[in-house]
Amino acid sequence: MMACFEASATPEAARNMTIEVGLFAFERDFSGSLRCIPMIVRFKLDRVGVKLTLRQWSQLGRAERERLVLQACDAPDEAAAYRASLIADLFARTDQQPDVFEPDPAPAWSCREAVAESVATWCAGLGLAPPQAARWAQLSALQRFTLTKLSRPGHDNENFIAAMTEFGLMGQAFE
């Protein structure tokens, strides 16, 4: 059945399916079109030390935004290539350099042993149980990053509950 679907998919549909693989379900409504910066790209931007505004993101072409979703950025050489190509693409489109910063060597989301303080605080403010330590440790780095990013004070964090639900963290008992 899947082979039939893949064989009949248009190139555009196949590309969109590939892009959606890098997106969380809670962000597909607004990031599927790549008008907004998806969490996977925000994660990579933090890793490589680049601050990209929504305006700068929107000035990149669709193919460049897709590449930023899909391009590997785990190993040091991949991260360096990601940063270099992003900066070159942005400069070619806008004649601007993005803001750069030194990445945090130990961000709160990187600790598997303890739930990030911002996540626990945000949960408490919403009257929710924070993720149990064992469940937090099982989350991927991207999932922990996402919850940490969505729990920052002073930001519109409307997708926090949707992310918690998607990651299977709603309805847990307090530890």
Side-chain angles (χ1 to χ4, degrees):
M1 181 79 119
M2 186 61 151
C4 294
F5 177 75
E6 290 172 0
S8 65
T10 64
E12 177 71 17
R15 186 175 72 212
N16 286 340
M17 287 185 308
T18 301
I19 293 302
E20 287 191 4
V21 167
L23 304 179
F24 291 119
F26 75 83
E27 63 182 347
R28 285 194 181 136
D29 286 345
F30 57 90
S31 289
S33 64
L34 296 181
R35 286 186 313 250
C36 296
I37 305 172
M39 284 296 174
I40 184 74
V41 174
R42 291 176 186 217
F43 182 63
K44 294 173 183 182
L45 293 173
D46 276 15
R47 179 161 178 10
V48 301
V50 173
K51 170 104 171 99
L52 194 64
T53 67
L54 184 55
R55 184 173 190 276
Q56 290 169 322
W57 171 258
S58 67
Q59 291 174 320
L60 294 171
R62 171 76 186 203
E64 294 156 330
R65 286 180 270 166
E66 288 176 358
R67 182 183 43 75
L68 292 171
V69 169
L70 299 172
Q71 185 176 351
C73 188
D74 296 321
D77 60 328
E78 293 170 340
Y82 190 94
R83 179 182 170 128
S85 63
L86 168 60
I87 291 171
D89 288 346
L90 186 63
F91 190 77
R93 291 275 185 177
T94 67
D95 213 25
Q96 299 174 354
Q97 295 287 335
D99 291 336
V100 295
F101 59 91
E102 189 63 37
D104 184 346
W109 57 263
S110 68
C111 178
R112 288 179 170 261
E113 291 75 38
V115 175
E117 186 176 325
S118 66
V119 174
T121 300
W122 195 257
C123 284
L126 294 173
L128 302 173
Q132 296 173 353
R135 277 294 293 129
W136 178 260
Q138 294 171 345
L139 295 174
S140 70
L142 177 58
Q143 289 171 322
R144 292 191 313 273
F145 166 85
T146 297
L147 291 174
T148 303
K149 199 66 134 173
L150 292 175
S151 64
R152 294 178 303 160
H155 293 276
D156 180 14
N157 302 326
E158 64 186 44
N159 290 311
F160 183 81
I161 292 175
M164 290 275 290
T165 301
E166 183 172 342
F167 303 160
L169 301 172
M170 293 298 287
Q172 299 180 105
F174 281 96
E175 291 182 80

